[in-house]
Amino acid sequence: MALSFYYLSGSPFAWRVWLALEYKNIPYELHVLSRDKGELQTPEYRAINPRGRAPAIVHDGFALYESMAILEYLEETFQDQTPSIWPCEPKDRAIARRTIYEMDAYLFPPVRRMVEELLIKPEGLLDASVVETASNVVTSNLEMLATGIKGKFFHGNAPCAVDFCFYPLIAMLGRLKLKNSNYDLLATMPENLKTWKTEVENLPYFSKTLPPHWKTAA
Amino acid sequence: MALSFYYLSGSPFAWRVWLALEYKNIPYELHVLSRDKGELQTPEYRAINPRGRAPAIVHDGFALYESMAILEYLEETFQDQTPSIWPCEPKDRAIARRTIYEMDAYLFPPVRRMVEELLIKPEGLLDASVVETASNVVTSNLEMLATGIKGKFFHGNAPCAVDFCFYPLIAMLGRLKLKNSNYDLLATMPENLKTWKTEVENLPYFSKTLPPHWKTAA
């Protein structure tokens, strides 16, 4: 198979690429890497991504990492393969990219801090003030980002890269209440974001892309 | 004039856009914003960028922020205007984008930490261990990124977005020794990076884009 996709369960950056591959009907061979088994650090994988992170792809011998670079490359390389990962109109495409950079710069860091405090740290070591600050930043960013939803999805009635990048962050937030029911940020997010979340979950290929370890654990 | 460019002196993200506008010969009206005068937070500017950050552009009434989204938009919108901000071959373009994401994700955070410790904090409050850790991360990233230089510039004999994004970070590092000569990271960076730095500084429009407050102070 021409395209190998290197995936790490639970990585929001790997998940976005998986959704895009499925949406665009690009055939791929899935390689699920295990951090615990050291598979991100083998010489073979570091030849593909010297930073030892996921996702990465190898397409006809060309290795590429960094999820946003991959999303652009997939569209440019498989542009005859409908549908498009990116909005077709240049201004919409610009807003789509802007929105993803905003998610990565302003939403992902506080989401990660909340995950570290609430899901990874041993219980009892939780720093409530860190969680509180992060939670406020997340809430204000969800409100701001929700204003960008222009239809069933961010850019109309078909999903695009923005939806594929945003959903994994929302899903991470949804995991927080597993350990601490005080932090159910999805319950209080804007109504249109709740509707949007359901739309993504109803995509025909969605359940296939759920992180494998979320299915077995939880 | 059709394109307004909103700039903040010293912002590496604003600087990259300025270099690209000059390189691509796109006419623009420069608006230098002052953080001290609160010009990032006026209602007028927040209508352009609700996050109150720079850079931003307004092109024929269309407001856009996030520097990478701007660099993509400029190329798509002014694509008949040679030269190109991005490499023309899709694989080269993918590597260019990947390299910039790596700079933003792995190089900018430790550079910023060093700037905060060495240039912003009052003397005496410097946390040497923070600086030491950041300095090591910067050094390893400079070595890794330097391997990507494939000619006079990153992608051959003409500059592109990678050069425009990288230079401002290198320039920030060059400022560190102003207050503390122990941290002259540019002196020990790979030789090909030193040569590349000179090539960028020799670009005909380079000196025009130097941060105004670097010219008056220092």
Side-chain angles (χ1 to χ4, degrees), chain A residues 25 51 87 100 112-113 193 214:
Chain A
N25 295 310
R51 295 194 182 269
I100 297 173
R112 187 179 52 187
R113 269 194 295 280
L193 210 42
W214 289 11

Side-chain angles (χ1 to χ4, degrees), chain A residues 190-207:
Chain A
E191 284 304 315
N192 71 330
L193 210 42
K194 293 179 189 172
T195 311
W196 165 87
K197 178 174 176 285
T198 306
E199 293 289 356
V200 175
E201 289 163 355
N202 285 338
L203 291 169
Y205 43 84
F206 170 78
S207 58

Side-chain angles (χ1 to χ4, degrees), chain B residues 4-158:
Chain B
S4 294
F5 168 45
Y6 295 87
Y7 168 86
L8 181 71
S9 188
S11 158
F13 302 102
W15 197 350
R16 52 172 69 168
V17 172
W18 200 357
L19 285 165
L21 286 168
E22 281 291 330
Y23 176 61
K24 210 168 161 63
N25 294 311
I26 298 171
Y28 60 91
E29 190 173 75
L30 178 67
H31 300 262
V32 178
L33 301 172
S34 161
R35 190 194 303 273
D36 293 343
K37 290 183 193 158
E39 290 170 351
L40 291 166
Q41 304 301 337
T42 61
E44 293 74 22
Y45 187 64
R46 289 182 74 99
I48 294 167
N49 183 349
R51 296 195 181 268
R53 300 205 174 195
I57 61 168
V58 178
H59 175 235
D60 279 339
F62 175 63
L64 183 63
Y65 54 97
E66 292 299 321
S67 64
M68 273 290 277
I70 293 172
L71 292 181
E72 298 278 0
Y73 176 81
L74 292 178
E75 187 57 39
E76 291 187 351
T77 308
F78 298 90
Q79 57 184 297
D80 299 331
Q81 205 142 343
T82 55
S84 171
I85 299 173
W86 294 94
C88 295
E89 207 275 318
K91 289 187 173 61
D92 288 339
R93 202 158 48 238
I95 291 174
R97 289 182 178 122
R98 186 208 78 197
T99 308
I100 297 171
Y101 299 124
E102 290 186 272
M103 290 170 184
D104 288 353
Y106 305 110
L107 181 59
F108 174 66
V111 169
R112 187 178 51 187
R113 269 194 296 281
M114 294 190 77
V115 167
E116 284 166 355
E117 291 290 332
L118 294 166
L119 297 184
I120 298 175
K121 266 192 182 178
E123 274 184 79
L125 292 182
L126 183 149
D127 185 331
S129 70
V130 168
V131 176
E132 193 63 25
T133 303
S135 168
N136 291 338
V137 177
V138 167
T139 299
S140 65
N141 270 283
L142 292 183
E143 283 166 9
M144 193 167 172
L145 290 163
T147 64
I149 300 176
K150 301 300 184 200
K152 277 168 68 174
F153 298 98
F154 266 84
H155 283 273
N157 285 324

